[in-house]
């Protein structure tokens, strides 16, 4: 274990998978997070002392530099979906990304992998998409040899996409969504981790890679697939644009009026702007094929973690079989 990688945001959804894979590669892993006491789940990824969570504030130069000291490689997984307090899109996804790249160059780090997002666009009307593009530009300016990954919507055991909508089906016979015709190319979280590891190990050429899974489906079609997995019948209702706008505005106002004590986890106006654009890999873009990775299909993976949303949970298949036997009798 002679080499060290610092993973900013390494206890999060994507970061934990990268940390686990880097530990399997025999590297020491330093997981830089805001709350190390809430990141203890990463320690068993390796032998005692191999994977360690440490405190870091990505908005502070000294903090970023301290946890990078002695690192051979750096991975930045930090991002926000909603602005809260000082953690704005610009502070985290633009300035924070640039800060990590600049300090990595100053410290002579050999490899830098930056996790961005499909849809990053400097000309977008979305602050999220603009800040992602600004972060990419800052990374490439200070660390031209960086590997930048742009995943589409990411699915996996801890995701906030399928899990979130599946939980909503427990409360209502209607599943409301915005922009149901928007196309997505869902990518498995561990495939993103494999791509990041390839970058850390120097197995990927510098540049931007757009990561999408093997299937392209509309938002509404993804919800239908989820419903089939959890064995529930619900009406998937794609809200008209103006109605979705009212909903997003209302929850944004609620967050502001509560002085951010109540976070808008439903739909923000900025998220609505992103939802109006297809989230698929661009034609001709570098991707998984260039990294020698064959991405996983959703079908075999979704049941592994969505079963808990079935009417009878893990016993749902048994319950259905019992009903069928009773009917045959």
């Amino acid at each position: 274990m002679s080499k060290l990688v610092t993973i900013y945001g390494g206890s999060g959804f994507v970061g934990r998978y990268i940390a686990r894979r880097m530990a399997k590669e025999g590297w020491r892993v330093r997981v830089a997070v805001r709350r190390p006491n809430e990141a203890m789940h990463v320690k068993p990824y390796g032998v005692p002392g191999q994977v360690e969570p440490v405190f870091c504030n990505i908005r502070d130069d000294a903090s970023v530099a301290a946890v990078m000291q002695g690192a051979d490689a750096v991975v930045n997984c930090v991002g926000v979906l909603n602005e809260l307090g000082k953690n704005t899109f610009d502070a985290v996804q633009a300035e924070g990304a640039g800060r990590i790249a600049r300090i990595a160059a100053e410290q002579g780090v050999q490899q830098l992998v930056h996790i961005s997002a499909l849809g990053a666009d400097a000309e977008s009307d979305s602050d999220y998409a603009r800040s992602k593009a600004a972060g990419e530009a800052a990374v490439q300016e200070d660390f031209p040899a960086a590997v930048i990954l742009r995943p589409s919507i990411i699915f996996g055991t801890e995701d906030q996409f399928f899990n979130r909508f599946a939980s909503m089906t427990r409360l209502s016979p209607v599943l409301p969504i915005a922009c149901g015709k928007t196309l997505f190319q869902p990518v498995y979280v561990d495939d993103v981790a494999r791509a990041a590891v390839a970058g850390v190990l120097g197995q990927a050429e510098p540049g931007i890679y757009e990561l999408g899974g093997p299937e392209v489906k509309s938002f509404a079609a993804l919800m239908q697939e989820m419903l089939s997995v959890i064995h529930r019948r619900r009406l998937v209702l794609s809200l008209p644009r103006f109605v979705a706008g009212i909903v997003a505005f209302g929850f944004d106002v609620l967050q502001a009026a509560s002085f951010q004590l109540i976070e808008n986890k439903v739909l923000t106006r900025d998220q609505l702007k992103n939802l109006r654009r297809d989230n698929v890999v661009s034609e001709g873009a570098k991707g998984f094929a260039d990294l020698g990775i064959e991405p996983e299909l959703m079908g075999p993976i979704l049941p592994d973690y969505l079963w808990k949303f079935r009417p009878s949970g893990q016993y749902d298949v048994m319950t259905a079989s019992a009903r069928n036997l009773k009917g045959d009798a």
Side-chain angles (χ1 to χ4, degrees):
M1 295 188 293
S2 59
K3 290 196 171 184
L4 169 67
V5 58
T6 296
I7 306 177
Y8 294 89
S11 67
F13 177 36
V14 178
R16 68 181 66 189
Y17 284 81
I18 299 174
R20 181 159 44 214
R21 282 192 168 272
M22 289 308 305
K24 288 182 178 179
E25 291 288 338
W27 284 51
R28 289 182 294 131
V29 183
R30 187 179 290 158
V31 176
V33 293
R34 286 186 297 166
R35 301 182 182 90
N37 59 307
E38 297 179 6
M40 294 303 170
H41 57 271
V42 303
K43 292 174 71 70
Y45 292 168
V47 300
Q50 184 181 1
V51 183
E52 290 294 334
V54 295
F55 170 77
C56 177
N57 180 356
I58 197 175
R59 303 191 311 271
D60 180 73
D61 275 30
S63 183
V64 170
V67 298
M68 196 185 296
Q69 195 69 38
D72 299 280
V74 166
V75 181
N76 177 26
C77 302
V78 181
V80 292
L81 293 174
N82 186 20
E83 295 181 311
L84 283 176
K86 295 181 180 179
N87 291 318
T88 64
F89 292 135
D90 285 334
V92 174
Q93 297 177 166
E95 298 167 13
R99 179 175 293 110
I100 289 173
R102 170 172 53 81
I103 294 174
E106 292 171 354
Q107 293 196 9
V109 171
Q110 297 172 15
Q111 304 289 343
L112 171 62
V113 177
H114 174 68
I115 309 296
S116 184
L118 207 57
D121 182 3
E123 303 299 323
S124 175
D125 60 346
S126 161
D127 292 336
Y128 174 88
R130 275 204 310 271
S131 65
K132 282 292 189 180
E136 291 180 0
V139 167
Q140 290 185 312
E141 179 178 354
D142 288 309
F143 206 108
V147 172
I148 297 175
L149 306 179
R150 289 180 175 177
S152 182
I153 193 78
I154 304 175
F155 69 93
T157 304
E158 306 85 1
D159 72 45
Q160 293 300 310
F161 184 68
F162 287 115
N163 277 301
R164 173 184 168 192
F165 286 102
S167 66
M168 290 170 61
T169 65
R170 291 170 166 171
L171 306 174
S172 171
V174 178
L175 184 60
I177 61 174
C179 307
K181 294 182 180 179
T182 299
L183 299 178
F184 291 93
Q185 198 168 349
V187 57
Y188 182 43
V189 61
D190 198 42
D191 289 336
V192 178
R194 291 165 64 195
V197 170
V200 171
L201 299 180
Q203 299 169 353
E205 294 293 325
I208 296 175
Y209 294 80
E210 297 193 357
L211 306 181
E215 302 167 273
V216 175
K217 294 189 175 184
S218 69
F219 193 175
L222 290 174
M223 294 299 96
Q224 293 291 353
E225 180 163 357
M226 176 204 71
L227 289 170
S228 69
V229 170
I230 64 175
H231 303 165
R232 291 183 186 268
R233 293 182 179 180
R234 296 292 184 267
L235 173 63
V236 178
L237 179 63
S238 185
L239 300 175
R241 181 173 296 187
F242 78 94
V243 174
I246 293 172
V247 172
F249 176 77
F251 280 102
D252 278 346
V253 169
L254 179 61
Q255 177 175 298
S258 67
F259 299 99
Q260 300 189 343
L261 293 176
I262 301 175
E263 182 183 354
N264 181 0
K265 295 183 178 181
V266 178
L267 178 67
T268 69
R269 285 170 291 177
D270 197 75
Q271 289 167 357
L272 185 57
K273 293 175 182 177
N274 280 314
L275 279 172
R276 291 170 180 164
R277 300 179 182 85
D278 290 340
N279 198 254
V280 297
V281 172
S282 306
E283 185 176 351
K286 291 195 293 185
F288 279 123
D290 300 276
L291 299 170
I293 297 172
E294 185 175 350
E296 299 284 347
L297 292 163
M298 288 183 289
I301 296 172
L302 293 183
D304 286 346
Y305 66 96
L306 292 182
W307 58 263
K308 57 183 175 288
F309 298 105
R310 293 171 177 170
S312 301
Q314 61 184 322
Y315 304 109
D316 205 58
V317 175
M318 296 169 58
T319 303
S321 297
R323 282 198 299 266
N324 291 336
L325 287 173
K326 185 177 181 181
D328 291 342

